[in-house]
Amino acid sequence: MDLEQMKETCVSSELIFDGKVVHLYVDQISLPDGRPAMREFVRHIGAVCVLPLFEDGTVACVRQYRYPNAEVLTEIPAGKLDYKGEDRAQAALRELREETGCACGRLTHLGKLYTSPAILDEVIDMYLAEELTEGETDFDDDEFLAPVRIPLAQLVDEVMAGQIPDAKTQVAVMRVWELLRRRKENEVC
Amino acid sequence: MDLEQMKETCVSSELIFDGKVVHLYVDQISLPDGRPAMREFVRHIGAVCVLPLFEDGTVACVRQYRYPNAEVLTEIPAGKLDYKGEDRAQAALRELREETGCACGRLTHLGKLYTSPAILDEVIDMYLAEELTEGETDFDDDEFLAPVRIPLAQLVDEVMAGQIPDAKTQVAVMRVWELLRRRKENEVC
Protein backbone atom coordinates (compact mmCIF):
# COMPACT_ATOMS: atom_id res chain seq x y z
CA MET A 1 0.00 0.00 0.00
CA ASP A 2 1.30 3.45 -0.95
CA LEU A 3 1.82 5.39 2.27
CA GLU A 4 0.09 8.46 0.81
CA GLN A 5 -2.97 6.22 0.46
CA MET A 6 -3.07 5.73 4.26
CA LYS A 7 -3.73 9.38 5.13
CA GLU A 8 -6.88 10.28 7.05
CA THR A 9 -8.33 13.71 6.26
CA CYS A 10 -10.05 15.99 8.78
CA VAL A 11 -13.61 16.93 7.78
CA SER A 12 -14.57 18.75 11.00
CA SER A 13 -13.06 19.06 14.48
CA GLU A 14 -14.87 19.64 17.77
CA LEU A 15 -13.08 20.61 20.99
CA ILE A 16 -15.05 18.71 23.66
CA PHE A 17 -12.98 19.61 26.74
CA ASP A 18 -10.26 22.23 27.04
CA GLY A 19 -8.59 21.40 30.34
CA LYS A 20 -5.40 22.34 32.09
CA VAL A 21 -3.53 19.29 30.76
CA VAL A 22 -6.00 17.33 28.64
CA HIS A 23 -7.58 18.80 25.49
CA LEU A 24 -10.12 16.37 24.09
CA TYR A 25 -11.22 16.47 20.44
CA VAL A 26 -13.74 14.50 18.41
CA ASP A 27 -12.95 14.82 14.71
CA GLN A 28 -15.04 13.64 11.78
CA ILE A 29 -12.61 12.31 9.22
CA SER A 30 -12.44 10.81 5.78
CA LEU A 31 -10.73 7.40 5.49
CA PRO A 32 -8.30 6.73 2.62
CA ASP A 33 -11.13 5.10 0.64
CA GLY A 34 -13.41 8.11 1.17
CA ARG A 35 -15.69 6.56 3.77
CA PRO A 36 -16.46 8.67 6.86
CA ALA A 37 -15.14 7.79 10.32
CA MET A 38 -14.64 9.43 13.70
CA ARG A 39 -11.52 9.91 15.83
CA GLU A 40 -11.63 10.63 19.58
CA PHE A 41 -8.25 11.86 20.79
CA VAL A 42 -6.43 14.01 23.32
CA ARG A 43 -3.97 16.81 22.60
CA HIS A 44 -1.21 17.34 25.19
CA ILE A 45 1.48 20.04 25.25
CA GLY A 46 4.32 17.49 25.32
CA ALA A 47 6.83 16.46 27.94
CA VAL A 48 10.42 15.53 28.67
CA CYS A 49 11.99 12.76 30.73
CA VAL A 50 15.58 12.31 31.84
CA LEU A 51 17.54 9.31 33.11
CA PRO A 52 20.14 10.69 35.59
CA LEU A 53 23.06 8.25 35.61
CA PHE A 54 25.69 8.64 38.35
CA GLU A 55 29.31 7.53 37.98
CA ASP A 56 28.69 4.62 40.38
CA GLY A 57 26.09 3.19 37.95
CA THR A 58 23.03 4.21 39.98
CA VAL A 59 20.04 6.10 38.59
CA ALA A 60 18.06 8.82 40.38
CA CYS A 61 14.40 7.75 40.22
CA VAL A 62 11.23 8.97 41.88
CA ARG A 63 8.38 7.00 43.37
CA GLN A 64 5.09 8.76 42.76
CA TYR A 65 1.36 8.09 43.20
CA ARG A 66 -0.40 7.96 39.83
CA TYR A 67 -4.09 8.67 40.28
CA PRO A 68 -5.51 7.08 37.07
CA ASN A 69 -4.12 3.62 38.01
CA ALA A 70 -4.22 4.28 41.78
CA GLU A 71 -0.67 2.98 42.13
CA VAL A 72 2.75 4.18 43.26
CA LEU A 73 5.13 3.87 40.30
CA THR A 74 8.91 3.97 40.03
CA GLU A 75 9.78 6.43 37.26
CA ILE A 76 12.64 8.50 35.96
CA PRO A 77 12.23 12.29 36.44
CA ALA A 78 9.82 13.84 33.94
CA GLY A 79 7.48 16.72 33.46
CA LYS A 80 5.42 18.47 30.87
CA LEU A 81 6.59 21.54 28.99
CA ASP A 82 5.88 24.89 30.69
CA TYR A 83 4.72 26.43 27.41
CA LYS A 84 4.32 25.43 23.79
CA GLY A 85 7.62 25.46 21.94
CA GLU A 86 9.74 25.43 25.11
CA ASP A 87 13.28 24.21 24.48
CA ARG A 88 13.20 20.49 25.36
CA ALA A 89 16.78 20.27 26.61
CA GLN A 90 16.17 23.24 28.94
CA ALA A 91 12.96 21.58 30.20
CA ALA A 92 14.90 18.36 30.84
CA LEU A 93 17.53 20.23 32.86
CA ARG A 94 14.75 21.94 34.86
CA GLU A 95 12.99 18.65 35.70
CA LEU A 96 16.35 17.11 36.59
CA ARG A 97 17.06 19.96 39.00
CA GLU A 98 13.54 20.05 40.49
CA GLU A 99 13.17 16.31 41.05
CA THR A 100 16.73 15.24 41.88
CA GLY A 101 18.50 18.49 42.80
CA CYS A 102 21.19 17.68 40.22
CA ALA A 103 22.90 19.68 37.51
CA CYS A 104 24.60 17.77 34.70
CA GLY A 105 27.64 18.26 32.51
CA ARG A 106 26.54 15.95 29.68
CA LEU A 107 23.01 15.70 28.29
CA THR A 108 22.30 13.21 25.47
CA HIS A 109 19.04 13.29 23.51
CA LEU A 110 17.68 9.75 23.09
CA GLY A 111 14.85 10.68 20.71
CA LYS A 112 11.09 10.92 20.98
CA LEU A 113 8.43 8.73 22.52
CA TYR A 114 4.80 8.75 21.33
CA THR A 115 3.03 7.36 24.38
CA SER A 116 -0.30 6.22 22.88
CA PRO A 117 -0.47 7.36 19.26
CA ALA A 118 -3.99 6.07 18.51
CA ILE A 119 -5.67 8.42 21.01
CA LEU A 120 -3.04 10.87 22.30
CA ASP A 121 -0.62 13.24 20.53
CA GLU A 122 1.73 13.45 23.55
CA VAL A 123 5.42 13.45 22.55
CA ILE A 124 8.05 12.87 25.26
CA ASP A 125 11.62 13.88 24.47
CA MET A 126 13.96 11.49 26.31
CA TYR A 127 17.41 12.39 27.66
CA LEU A 128 20.34 10.76 29.40
CA ALA A 129 22.02 13.02 32.00
CA GLU A 130 25.63 12.29 33.07
CA GLU A 131 28.46 14.06 34.91
CA LEU A 132 25.99 14.94 37.66
CA THR A 133 26.59 17.32 40.57
CA GLU A 134 24.16 17.11 43.47
CA GLY A 135 22.16 19.95 45.01
CA GLU A 136 18.76 20.64 46.59
CA THR A 137 15.46 19.31 45.18
CA ASP A 138 12.63 21.71 44.42
CA PHE A 139 9.41 19.73 43.94
CA ASP A 140 6.32 21.34 42.42
CA ASP A 141 3.77 22.36 45.03
CA ASP A 142 1.37 19.49 44.33
CA GLU A 143 4.00 16.79 43.77
CA PHE A 144 4.62 14.20 46.48
CA LEU A 145 7.70 12.40 45.26
CA ALA A 146 9.95 9.93 47.05
CA PRO A 147 13.45 10.03 45.54
CA VAL A 148 15.23 6.68 45.25
CA ARG A 149 18.64 5.67 43.83
CA ILE A 150 18.63 2.34 41.99
CA PRO A 151 21.53 0.66 40.14
CA LEU A 152 20.92 0.68 36.37
CA ALA A 153 21.59 -3.09 36.17
CA GLN A 154 18.87 -3.65 38.80
CA LEU A 155 16.44 -1.41 36.87
CA VAL A 156 17.10 -3.49 33.74
CA ASP A 157 16.32 -6.67 35.69
CA GLU A 158 13.13 -5.08 37.07
CA VAL A 159 12.04 -3.98 33.59
CA MET A 160 12.72 -7.49 32.23
CA ALA A 161 10.71 -8.97 35.12
CA GLY A 162 7.74 -6.70 34.32
CA GLN A 163 8.08 -4.74 37.58
CA ILE A 164 8.42 -1.24 36.04
CA PRO A 165 5.19 -0.59 34.14
CA ASP A 166 5.83 3.08 33.22
CA ALA A 167 6.49 3.33 29.47
CA LYS A 168 9.07 6.15 29.41
CA THR A 169 11.05 4.50 32.22
CA GLN A 170 11.11 1.11 30.46
CA VAL A 171 12.26 2.70 27.21
CA ALA A 172 14.93 4.94 28.75
CA VAL A 173 16.35 2.16 30.95
CA MET A 174 16.62 -0.36 28.09
CA ARG A 175 18.02 2.20 25.66
CA VAL A 176 20.66 3.54 28.05
CA TRP A 177 21.64 -0.07 28.85
CA GLU A 178 22.19 -0.74 25.13
CA LEU A 179 23.88 2.66 24.66
CA LEU A 180 26.44 1.87 27.38
CA ARG A 181 27.09 -1.54 25.81
CA ARG A 182 27.71 0.10 22.43
CA ARG A 183 30.00 2.73 23.93
CA LYS A 184 32.02 -0.04 25.59
CA GLU A 185 32.30 -1.99 22.32
CA ASN A 186 33.52 1.16 20.57
CA GLU A 187 36.17 1.63 23.25
CA VAL A 188 37.36 -1.95 22.82
CA CYS A 189 37.57 -1.62 19.03
CA MET B 1 8.38 9.45 52.56
CA ASP B 2 6.07 6.62 53.59
CA LEU B 3 4.37 5.38 50.41
CA GLU B 4 0.98 5.29 52.13
CA GLN B 5 1.46 9.04 52.65
CA MET B 6 1.53 9.56 48.85
CA LYS B 7 -2.02 8.41 48.20
CA GLU B 8 -4.48 10.82 46.57
CA THR B 9 -8.10 10.39 47.63
CA CYS B 10 -11.12 10.90 45.38
CA VAL B 11 -13.59 13.50 46.69
CA SER B 12 -15.88 13.58 43.64
CA SER B 13 -15.69 12.29 40.07
CA GLU B 14 -17.33 13.74 36.96
CA LEU B 15 -17.57 11.87 33.67
CA ILE B 16 -17.06 14.62 31.07
CA PHE B 17 -17.10 12.52 27.89
CA ASP B 18 -18.09 8.89 27.49
CA GLY B 19 -16.84 8.01 24.03
CA LYS B 20 -16.24 4.84 22.08
CA VAL B 21 -12.59 4.62 23.12
CA VAL B 22 -11.89 7.63 25.34
CA HIS B 23 -13.68 8.14 28.66
CA LEU B 24 -12.69 11.49 30.14
CA TYR B 25 -13.02 12.23 33.86
CA VAL B 26 -12.36 15.29 36.00
CA ASP B 27 -11.96 14.28 39.64
CA GLN B 28 -11.72 16.53 42.66
CA ILE B 29 -9.18 14.94 44.97
CA SER B 30 -7.52 15.36 48.32
CA LEU B 31 -3.71 15.51 48.31
CA PRO B 32 -1.72 13.57 50.96
CA ASP B 33 -1.50 16.75 53.08
CA GLY B 34 -5.27 17.31 52.86
CA ARG B 35 -5.20 20.17 50.37
CA PRO B 36 -7.67 19.94 47.46
CA ALA B 37 -6.55 19.40 43.86
CA MET B 38 -7.99 18.33 40.53
CA ARG B 39 -7.08 15.47 38.18
CA GLU B 40 -8.05 15.38 34.49
CA PHE B 41 -7.59 11.89 33.07
CA VAL B 42 -8.79 9.37 30.51
CA ARG B 43 -9.98 5.84 31.16
CA HIS B 44 -9.32 3.28 28.40
CA ILE B 45 -10.38 -0.37 28.25
CA GLY B 46 -6.81 -1.61 27.85
CA ALA B 47 -4.89 -3.16 24.98
CA VAL B 48 -2.41 -5.82 23.93
CA CYS B 49 0.60 -5.76 21.62
CA VAL B 50 2.63 -8.61 20.22
CA LEU B 51 6.11 -8.83 18.67
CA PRO B 52 5.95 -11.63 16.05
CA LEU B 53 9.48 -13.02 15.69
CA PHE B 54 10.20 -15.36 12.78
CA GLU B 55 12.94 -18.00 12.82
CA ASP B 56 14.99 -15.94 10.33
CA GLY B 57 15.16 -13.09 12.89
CA THR B 58 12.65 -10.81 11.15
CA VAL B 59 9.67 -9.18 12.86
CA ALA B 60 6.21 -8.69 11.36
CA CYS B 61 5.39 -4.98 11.75
CA VAL B 62 2.65 -2.75 10.41
CA ARG B 63 2.88 0.78 9.07
CA GLN B 64 -0.19 2.77 10.01
CA TYR B 65 -1.42 6.36 9.83
CA ARG B 66 -1.90 7.81 13.31
CA TYR B 67 -4.31 10.72 13.21
CA PRO B 68 -3.35 12.57 16.44
CA ASN B 69 0.26 13.09 15.24
CA ALA B 70 -0.67 13.02 11.53
CA GLU B 71 2.16 10.57 10.82
CA VAL B 72 2.64 7.06 9.48
CA LEU B 73 4.32 5.01 12.23
CA THR B 74 6.05 1.63 12.21
CA GLU B 75 4.54 -0.45 15.01
CA ILE B 76 4.22 -4.01 16.17
CA PRO B 77 0.68 -5.47 15.91
CA ALA B 78 -1.64 -4.24 18.65
CA GLY B 79 -5.25 -3.62 19.45
CA LYS B 80 -7.56 -2.78 22.28
CA LEU B 81 -9.54 -5.38 24.19
CA ASP B 82 -12.93 -6.31 22.70
CA TYR B 83 -14.58 -6.21 26.13
CA LYS B 84 -13.62 -5.55 29.73
CA GLY B 85 -11.91 -8.54 31.31
CA GLU B 86 -11.11 -10.22 27.98
CA ASP B 87 -8.29 -12.74 28.28
CA ARG B 88 -5.15 -10.82 27.23
CA ALA B 89 -3.34 -13.79 25.70
CA GLN B 90 -6.41 -14.57 23.56
CA ALA B 91 -6.60 -10.92 22.48
CA ALA B 92 -2.90 -11.00 21.54
CA LEU B 93 -3.44 -14.14 19.42
CA ARG B 94 -6.41 -12.43 17.73
CA GLU B 95 -4.45 -9.27 16.88
CA LEU B 96 -1.56 -11.41 15.66
CA ARG B 97 -3.90 -13.31 13.32
CA GLU B 98 -5.79 -10.22 12.12
CA GLU B 99 -2.75 -8.04 11.42
CA THR B 100 -0.16 -10.60 10.26
CA GLY B 101 -2.22 -13.69 9.36
CA CYS B 102 -0.01 -15.75 11.68
CA ALA B 103 -0.72 -18.33 14.34
CA CYS B 104 1.98 -19.03 16.91
CA GLY B 105 3.19 -22.02 18.89
CA ARG B 106 4.90 -20.07 21.67
CA LEU B 107 3.53 -16.92 23.32
CA THR B 108 5.57 -15.23 26.09
CA HIS B 109 4.10 -12.50 28.29
CA LEU B 110 6.57 -9.61 28.65
CA GLY B 111 4.58 -7.70 31.28
CA LYS B 112 2.53 -4.53 31.33
CA LEU B 113 3.03 -1.06 29.89
CA TYR B 114 1.37 2.04 31.36
CA THR B 115 1.50 4.41 28.41
CA SER B 116 1.00 7.79 30.10
CA PRO B 117 0.21 7.23 33.78
CA ALA B 118 -0.31 10.89 34.74
CA ILE B 119 -3.35 11.32 32.49
CA LEU B 120 -4.34 7.90 31.11
CA ASP B 121 -5.08 4.56 32.80
CA GLU B 122 -4.37 2.53 29.63
CA VAL B 123 -2.52 -0.72 30.32
CA ILE B 124 -0.97 -2.62 27.39
CA ASP B 125 -0.06 -6.27 27.94
CA MET B 126 2.99 -7.06 25.83
CA TYR B 127 3.77 -10.44 24.25
CA LEU B 128 6.47 -12.15 22.20
CA ALA B 129 5.11 -14.59 19.58
CA GLU B 130 7.39 -17.34 18.21
CA GLU B 131 7.07 -20.59 16.23
CA LEU B 132 4.90 -18.72 13.71
CA THR B 133 2.88 -20.26 10.89
CA GLU B 134 1.65 -17.91 8.18
CA GLY B 135 -1.94 -17.47 6.93
CA GLU B 136 -4.29 -14.77 5.68
CA THR B 137 -4.60 -11.31 7.29
CA ASP B 138 -8.01 -10.05 8.38
CA PHE B 139 -7.80 -6.31 9.02
CA ASP B 140 -10.55 -4.46 10.84
CA ASP B 141 -12.88 -2.61 8.48
CA ASP B 142 -11.48 0.87 9.24
CA GLU B 143 -7.80 -0.16 9.46
CA PHE B 144 -5.46 0.69 6.61
CA LEU B 145 -2.29 -1.17 7.50
CA ALA B 146 0.78 -1.84 5.42
CA PRO B 147 2.52 -5.01 6.65
CA VAL B 148 6.32 -4.95 6.63
CA ARG B 149 8.96 -7.52 7.73
CA ILE B 150 12.01 -5.97 9.41
CA PRO B 151 15.03 -7.78 10.94
CA LEU B 152 15.00 -7.42 14.75
CA ALA B 153 18.62 -6.19 14.72
CA GLN B 154 17.60 -3.41 12.29
CA LEU B 155 14.64 -2.47 14.50
CA VAL B 156 17.01 -2.19 17.48
CA ASP B 157 19.26 0.14 15.45
CA GLU B 158 16.23 2.21 14.40
CA VAL B 159 15.01 2.47 18.01
CA MET B 160 18.51 3.50 19.14
CA ALA B 161 18.61 6.12 16.36
CA GLY B 162 15.26 7.57 17.49
CA GLN B 163 13.46 6.47 14.32
CA ILE B 164 10.69 4.41 15.98
CA PRO B 165 8.72 6.84 18.15
CA ASP B 166 5.90 4.44 19.18
CA ALA B 167 6.28 3.58 22.88
CA LYS B 168 5.06 -0.05 22.87
CA THR B 169 7.24 -0.85 19.84
CA GLN B 170 10.36 0.67 21.43
CA VAL B 171 9.78 -1.27 24.65
CA ALA B 172 9.00 -4.61 23.01
CA VAL B 173 11.94 -4.40 20.57
CA MET B 174 14.48 -3.54 23.28
CA ARG B 175 13.12 -6.12 25.71
CA VAL B 176 13.04 -8.96 23.19
CA TRP B 177 16.60 -8.03 22.14
CA GLU B 178 17.73 -8.35 25.77
CA LEU B 179 15.63 -11.51 26.27
CA LEU B 180 17.33 -13.24 23.32
CA ARG B 181 20.74 -12.21 24.68
CA ARG B 182 19.86 -13.71 28.07
CA ARG B 183 18.56 -16.93 26.52
CA LYS B 184 21.82 -17.27 24.59
CA GLU B 185 23.90 -16.71 27.73
CA ASN B 186 21.88 -19.40 29.52
CA GLU B 187 22.52 -21.83 26.66
CA VAL B 188 26.26 -21.15 26.83
CA CYS B 189 26.38 -21.69 30.60
Side-chain angles (χ1 to χ4, degrees), chain B residues 41-113:
Chain B
F41 67 103
V42 168
R43 293 204 186 279
H44 180 282
I45 195 169
V48 294
C49 68
V50 53
L51 189 147
L53 181 64
F54 290 88
E55 293 218 6
D56 67 356
T58 61
V59 177
C61 296
V62 288
R63 288 180 58 76
Q64 184 168 11
Y65 188 81
R66 291 306 197 175
Y67 185 81
N69 293 103
E71 274 180 54
V72 173
L73 299 185
T74 300
E75 303 180 25
I76 56 172
K80 61 181 198 300
L81 301 181
D82 274 352
Y83 54 91
K84 208 163 178 162
E86 185 184 16
D87 183 272
R88 268 71 176 171
Q90 290 303 318
L93 294 175
R94 180 190 63 235
E95 292 299 331
L96 177 67
R97 192 183 60 246
E98 286 181 2
E99 298 195 2
T100 72
C102 290
C104 84
R106 184 180 184 187
L107 189 70
T108 306
H109 188 224
L110 301 173
K112 291 176 185 296
L113 187 73

Side-chain angles (χ1 to χ4, degrees), chain B:
Chain B
M1 199 185 312
D2 186 327
L3 295 181
E4 189 50 41
Q5 291 174 340
M6 303 170 78
K7 195 168 163 24
E8 298 172 349
T9 310
C10 177
V11 175
S12 67
S13 181
E14 187 182 359
L15 176 58
I16 303 288
F17 177 76
D18 195 22
K20 234 182 111 185
V21 181
V22 163
H23 312 278
L24 174 68
Y25 289 80
V26 175
D27 283 15
Q28 305 302 324
I29 66 152
S30 179
L31 291 172
D33 62 6
R35 284 181 305 154
M38 186 263 294
R39 291 286 177 261
E40 305 165 353
F41 67 103
V42 168
R43 293 204 186 279
H44 180 282
I45 195 169
V48 294
C49 68
V50 53
L51 189 147
L53 181 64
F54 290 88
E55 293 218 6
D56 67 356
T58 61
V59 177
C61 296
V62 288
R63 288 180 58 76
Q64 184 168 11
Y65 188 81
R66 291 306 197 175
Y67 185 81
N69 293 103
E71 274 180 54
V72 173
L73 299 185
T74 300
E75 303 180 25
I76 56 172
K80 61 181 198 300
L81 301 181
D82 274 352
Y83 54 91
K84 208 163 178 162
E86 185 184 16
D87 183 272
R88 268 71 176 171
Q90 290 303 318
L93 294 175
R94 180 190 63 235
E95 292 299 331
L96 177 67
R97 192 183 60 246
E98 286 181 2
E99 298 195 2
T100 72
C102 290
C104 84
R106 184 180 184 187
L107 189 70
T108 306
H109 188 224
L110 301 173
K112 291 176 185 296
L113 187 73
Y114 294 6
T115 52
S116 190
I119 58 164
L120 177 60
D121 78 346
E122 181 185 30
V123 175
I124 302 181
D125 276 87
M126 299 179 292
Y127 292 88
L128 166 63
E130 295 166 285
E131 301 172 11
L132 299 166
T133 48
E134 299 189 57
E136 288 298 307
T137 56
D138 176 23
F139 296 145
D140 278 350
D141 207 33
D142 63 346
E143 282 184 325
F144 293 80
L145 304 178
V148 54
R149 286 271 282 272
I150 305 174
L152 180 63
Q154 180 185 329
L155 279 173
V156 172
D157 287 343
E158 290 180 6
V159 167
M160 293 301 291
Q163 293 163 354
I164 306 272
D166 178 50
K168 64 183 175 302
T169 305
Q170 289 200 43
V171 171
V173 163
M174 297 310 294
R175 287 189 50 186
V176 168
W177 190 238
E178 179 69 20
L179 181 66
L180 297 185
R181 180 181 288 120
R182 292 182 176 204
R183 277 189 193 162
K184 214 173 198 171
E185 282 172 6
N186 282 338
E187 277 170 21
V188 172
C189 296

Side-chain angles (χ1 to χ4, degrees), chain A residues 6 20-22 27 35 40 63 67 71 112 114 116 122 141 157 165 167 170-171 175 181-182, chain B residues 6 20-22 27 35 40 63 67 71 112 114 116 122 141 157 165 167 170 175 181-182:
Chain A
M6 302 170 79
K20 236 183 108 183
V21 181
V22 163
D27 283 14
R35 285 181 304 154
E40 304 165 354
R63 287 179 59 76
Y67 185 80
E71 273 178 55
K112 291 176 186 296
Y114 294 6
S116 191
E122 181 185 29
D141 207 34
D157 286 344
Q170 289 200 42
V171 171
R175 287 190 50 187
R181 181 181 288 118
R182 291 181 176 203
Chain B
M6 303 170 78
K20 234 182 111 185
V21 181
V22 163
D27 283 15
R35 284 181 305 154
E40 305 165 353
R63 288 180 58 76
Y67 185 81
E71 274 180 54
K112 291 176 185 296
Y114 294 6
S116 190
E122 181 185 30
D141 207 33
D157 287 343
Q170 289 200 43
R175 287 189 50 186
R181 180 181 288 120
R182 292 182 176 204

Side-chain angles (χ1 to χ4, degrees), chain A residues 5-20:
Chain A
Q5 291 174 341
M6 302 170 79
K7 194 167 163 25
E8 299 173 347
T9 310
C10 177
V11 174
S12 67
S13 181
E14 187 183 359
L15 176 57
I16 302 288
F17 177 75
D18 195 22
K20 236 183 108 183

